[in-house]
Amino acid sequence: MPTAIAVTSADLVLPAPDRHTPGAALLHPPDRLDLAGALTETSALLERHGHLVAVVPPWLPPATVQRLHTVRAILETDRIALLDIDLPPLATALLVRQLRQLSVCDFSPGIIASAARLLCHYLHAGALLGSVARLDRVPVGLKAHARSWSPGAQFAVLAHPAPHLARLGTSGAHAGGALPPGPAYATELTFARGRLTSDWVAATLAPAWKAQGVMEHPLPGASPTWWATPKLVEFAAGIPDLSVLYQLVASVRREECRWCGLELIGDRCGFCSAPLTAPATGPATAPRTGPRTGPASAPLAAPVRPRT
């Protein structure tokens, strides 16, 4: 069986692009399942799939994150990877789908887990917002804050890979800023509507970004909080082609984790979070005798451009 890719919310599971892509495992939060049930749930996944890769966004409730770490600690297993991925909700769902696609390839669990940080470099995530008055995810100038109170105001905001904010007119036309910069390679655009009625993403942004396809998905429950307004249309663009995703991951040099022995790409293990290179130790610093368990945070080296 392929490595299990897990989420903590069903609205982070996009439809499979083909019949070969497996679904995602749903790890129920503490308010839906007690600890004994969570242990049984996770043990069954490990028995069936061997390894489990769970995407753990920082915007999850603290109790949910703590439950995941508690289950891994009680099971005393090194076969659970908890990936600390900081993306908007819809982009997180898109990344989960890409990991699901790669899980059926001939990559080891360690490669799949560490590939998540590589794939983040190739995601473009943003939203069309009716207000940026409370937005703190990207820099918002004083004028933009003031214009948020104007009737019919709309803003095109890009949060990843680099922040960008453009004010649009009430009809979606440019009004003082350029369109968010798009990817320089072939992508598919996914969008989700909140309480903002607009076809701007599909009618304007998708052609400007030369999207190969456009897919609509229900808005993730965490999106209004993440974007600080329910008046939004969230969007995310990513590489849909499995052959290109495979090429990206396969082109990166593979290493062996010095702590747990799993394969990895980049500079940090996705399962034990140990860095590829041992940190410098001073005269009074004893070497570590076990794996790191903290979240992965150091970036990969500059990404290679996919050949399409």
Side-chain angles (χ1 to χ4, degrees):
M1 293 294 293
T3 298
I5 309 299
V7 294
T8 56
S9 176
D11 57 16
L12 295 180
V13 183
L14 297 176
D18 53 59
R19 61 186 182 88
H20 303 291
T21 301
L26 179 59
L27 301 177
H28 295 88
D31 60 346
R32 299 285 303 277
L33 191 66
D34 62 15
L35 179 58
L39 291 169
T40 301
E41 176 184 70
T42 305
S43 296
L45 286 171
L46 290 175
E47 183 176 352
R48 183 178 180 187
H49 295 273
H51 289 78
L52 173 66
V53 174
V55 176
V56 186
W59 38 263
L60 287 178
T64 300
V65 178
Q66 184 176 359
R67 165 61 62 83
L68 294 172
H69 286 275
T70 298
V71 167
R72 184 174 64 174
I74 292 177
L75 293 179
E76 297 183 333
T77 179
D78 57 1
R79 294 184 292 144
I80 298 177
L82 302 179
L83 305 182
D84 182 11
I85 301 296
D86 192 3
L87 291 170
L90 190 61
T92 300
L94 188 54
L95 174 65
V96 169
R97 188 176 70 178
Q98 291 178 333
L99 293 176
R100 288 159 51 200
Q101 290 177 272
L102 289 172
S103 71
V104 299
C105 299
D106 57 353
F107 293 128
S108 66
I111 296 296
I112 293 174
S114 54
R117 294 166 65 233
L118 171 65
L119 297 179
C120 285
H121 287 291
Y122 299 94
L123 292 175
H124 283 65
L128 179 68
L129 304 179
S131 172
V132 293
R134 295 179 175 84
L135 182 64
D136 60 1
R137 301 288 185 172
V138 300
V140 179
L142 183 60
K143 288 184 178 180
H145 270 293
R147 287 165 179 159
S148 288
W149 302 103
S150 301
Q154 293 185 2
F155 300 85
V157 181
L158 191 68
H160 184 85
H164 180 92
L165 188 149
R167 182 173 62 89
L168 306 180
T170 55
S171 62
H174 296 275
L179 282 173
Y185 39 86
T187 59
E188 180 179 85
L189 189 65
T190 300
F191 71 97
R193 302 178 191 269
R195 296 182 190 172
L196 188 62
T197 302
S198 175
D199 293 324
W200 179 83
V201 172
T204 301
L205 186 66
W209 281 9
K210 297 182 172 66
Q212 289 185 327
V214 180
M215 182 183 74
E216 184 171 2
H217 182 71
L219 188 71
S223 295
T225 300
W226 202 97
W227 293 102
T229 177
K231 296 180 179 180
L232 80 157
V233 180
E234 190 173 9
F235 57 83
I239 298 170
D241 192 336
L242 176 56
S243 64
V244 179
L245 295 174
Y246 184 94
Q247 168 198 317
L248 282 174
V249 176
S251 66
V252 182
R253 179 178 175 178
R254 303 185 188 189
E255 305 284 356
E256 182 177 293
C257 178
R258 61 192 181 88
W259 290 119
C260 67
L262 291 175
E263 284 186 307
L264 63 90
I265 59 175
D267 57 8
R268 190 174 294 275
C269 179
F271 276 84
C272 70
S273 296
L276 177 62
T277 305
T281 57
T285 304
R288 296 188 65 93
T289 57
R292 291 187 56 168
T293 56
S297 58
L300 286 163
V304 294
R305 180 171 176 175
R307 295 191 298 270
T308 56

